[in-house]
Amino acid sequence: MATLPPPPSKRQKREALEKSSLQTDLTSTIPDGTIRTRFVDQATGSSDTLPVLTVPLSQATTKNLEILLNELKEQSDDRIPYRFYPDGSAEALGDKEDVYNSLVKTGRVSAESEVVLQYAPQAVFRVKAVSRCSAAVSGHGDNILAVQFSPKNSARMASGSGDKTVRIWDCDTGTPAFTLKGHSKWVLAVSYSPDGSLLASGGYDNEVRIWDPETGKQVGGPLKGHTNFITSLSWEPYHLQEPGRPRVASSSKDGTVRVWDAIGGRVDFALSGHKSSVTCVKWGGTGWIYTSSHDKTIKVWNAETGTLVHTLSGHAHWVNHLALSTDFVLRTSYHDHTRKIPPTPEEKLAKAKSRFEKAAIINGEIVERLATASEDCTIFLWTPLSTSKPVTRMTGHQKQINQVCFSPDGTLLASAAWDNHVKLWSARDGKFLFTLRAHVGPVYMASFSADSRLLASCSKDTTLKVWDMRTGKLKEDLPGHKDQVFALDWSPDGERVGSGGADKQVRIWRG
């Protein structure tokens, strides 16, 4: 029989308690002294009218700095949470960290010099990291190639598959709500309209179909005109739509983009000018349409007249994907974290417009950034509203890049590539921040949480990963799929992540 050691005596317990309390006191002691602190806006790179302050070291915690910055910006009544980046650092100070222990004690800054803290506003709500699979639903008979949540809430998600159907899932119960039949070949793209009232799908049969997601019925006939398969779909932003006449743009391998009247079932105009397959289309909030192509160029079009505004050149190979810094607010229109829907059409329009302007205005002018990802292993960052020259060229990926996406707050850019890595960049100047390493196969897609604090990615290695954007570290590893995962979406309300792939199963993940 094993001999158990005797329990500690009262004296031993008392000594251990004294020792532990003494040690915590020692580590938490911050010496007297002050440090000069300058706050710089991360989005603009300037400190505006904010003074350089002398802050006591004992008070220089992240929480206190946040209170101080809100007081200086005269918004103490409606406080905004901020994240602080020591100058030149990609990693922000933690919520419970302080300047002395993080920067001075480690030798990163001297207590005699001035510390520059770049600040970035955070979402006032917080999304939980998804950590478990709440539903694994079979039903599709072939690879799942596209998934997207409704902008209204995470209760509904659409998926497009190689079995020629689109399915709408009830994510609360993990059951299929509708099976939408009509396509005669693989469905490659699905897209909800910004108000959530319509769903568009397109695929290998060269047709775009419009559905009512509430009833599962098709709206009108198929939209025919393309002579090759549909590669992507993008809806007209809600605040630009004519009442009762929503429009959707479809890009195709036939080298054209067509703009459709979704209800009327007619083509408004076709954008032709690319010399090869069009890979991606995005409809911007200022009324411009952006298209990328295998002809190595990106074209910018006026959505009112259908005329070409710019051709953006620079990539040395096919351009695979593009993303706008305003994608999230354009996708969700008047739906936000408060879940309050304006009662009248006029108020819905005003809210959608103000959300777009809030996301796009920097220093008093509208700036819509565009990121383009290519087979040449590089990403370009553009501001097409002001110039046709790129802001910067981002290099670092070793293989071609599948997808790029901006964080909802417009401060970060993530890129997913065939080199098994996701890379994270500053959306302001394209500065490299982190490489997210954990996947052991090509990464197909990435999707940010609504509060921009987390990122999910899916890969050929059959897993999803969730990453912490403050540190660039892995937060959750989500195995479960039995084959490669092609499609991924984080719901706009932050509640769920949906994924699908070669195992023909839709999986819903929750926190």
Side-chain angles (χ1 to χ4, degrees), residues 306-370:
T307 52
L308 184 66
V309 183
H310 293 311
T311 298
L312 311 178
S313 307
H315 281 297
H317 209 309
W318 297 349
V319 187
N320 288 334
H321 195 252
L322 41 86
L324 288 171
S325 55
T326 52
D327 274 341
F328 184 80
V329 289
L330 296 181
R331 172 186 168 181
T332 51
S333 63
Y334 52 79
H335 301 282
D336 64 9
H337 67 281
T338 62
R339 306 194 184 188
K340 291 179 184 148
I341 293 176
T344 67
E346 293 75 27
E347 286 175 87
K348 285 178 179 173
L349 199 67
K351 185 170 176 182
K353 194 167 193 291
S354 77
R355 287 187 75 222
F356 165 71
E357 286 170 352
K358 190 178 172 190
I361 288 177
I362 296 173
N363 287 345
E365 59 179 315
I366 287 185
V367 179
E368 202 165 41
R369 294 195 192 92
L370 176 74

Side-chain angles (χ1 to χ4, degrees), residues 90-105:
E91 191 173 323
L93 293 175
D95 293 340
K96 295 184 171 65
E97 289 187 325
D98 62 82
V99 169
Y100 175 74
N101 285 304
S102 301
L103 304 178
V104 179
K105 195 174 173 185

Side-chain angles (χ1 to χ4, degrees), residues 309-467:
V309 183
H310 293 311
T311 298
L312 311 178
S313 307
H315 281 297
H317 209 309
W318 297 349
V319 187
N320 288 334
H321 195 252
L322 41 86
L324 288 171
S325 55
T326 52
D327 274 341
F328 184 80
V329 289
L330 296 181
R331 172 186 168 181
T332 51
S333 63
Y334 52 79
H335 301 282
D336 64 9
H337 67 281
T338 62
R339 306 194 184 188
K340 291 179 184 148
I341 293 176
T344 67
E346 293 75 27
E347 286 175 87
K348 285 178 179 173
L349 199 67
K351 185 170 176 182
K353 194 167 193 291
S354 77
R355 287 187 75 222
F356 165 71
E357 286 170 352
K358 190 178 172 190
I361 288 177
I362 296 173
N363 287 345
E365 59 179 315
I366 287 185
V367 179
E368 202 165 41
R369 294 195 192 92
L370 176 74
T372 57
S374 167
E375 294 273 311
D376 66 8
C377 313
T378 69
I379 303 156
F380 275 92
L381 188 64
W382 316 79
T383 49
L385 296 176
S386 53
T387 173
S388 59
K389 291 192 168 48
V391 176
T392 186
R393 175 173 179 259
M394 291 119 88
T395 59
H397 278 296
Q398 303 299 309
K399 289 187 179 173
Q400 57 266 49
I401 302 162
N402 285 317
Q403 187 234 7
V404 279
C405 60
F406 281 93
S407 59
D409 63 9
T411 60
L412 299 170
L413 179 70
S415 55
W418 283 82
D419 60 7
N420 307 358
H421 296 152
V422 179
K423 286 187 186 289
L424 215 59
W425 319 80
S426 161
R428 178 170 67 95
D429 53 12
K431 191 178 107 185
F432 170 72
L433 301 176
F434 301 115
T435 298
L436 310 181
R437 291 186 175 90
H439 283 297
V440 293
V443 187
Y444 294 133
M445 273 189 90
S447 182
F448 278 95
S449 62
D451 64 354
S452 305
R453 291 183 175 98
L454 301 163
L455 178 79
S457 58
C458 68
S459 162
K460 188 178 180 176
D461 68 10
T462 76
T463 69
L464 275 70
K465 313 266 188 227
V466 179
W467 312 85

Side-chain angles (χ1 to χ4, degrees), residues 51-125:
V52 178
L53 298 175
T54 304
V55 181
L57 282 171
S58 58
Q59 298 296 312
T61 62
T62 309
K63 206 80 212 141
N64 288 347
L65 290 170
E66 190 181 283
I67 294 166
L68 185 61
L69 183 59
N70 274 292
E71 290 284 350
L72 289 171
K73 290 171 88 63
E74 295 176 1
Q75 51 200 26
S76 49
D77 295 340
D78 191 14
R79 269 195 18 214
I80 294 172
Y82 286 99
R83 187 162 276 169
F84 297 100
Y85 298 83
D87 199 27
S89 172
E91 191 173 323
L93 293 175
D95 293 340
K96 295 184 171 65
E97 289 187 325
D98 62 82
V99 169
Y100 175 74
N101 285 304
S102 301
L103 304 178
V104 179
K105 195 174 173 185
T106 55
R108 286 166 67 184
V109 297
S110 158
E112 280 78 47
S113 64
E114 180 180 285
V115 60
V116 178
L117 295 176
Q118 293 188 348
Y119 63 88
Q122 297 260 78
V124 291
F125 59 98

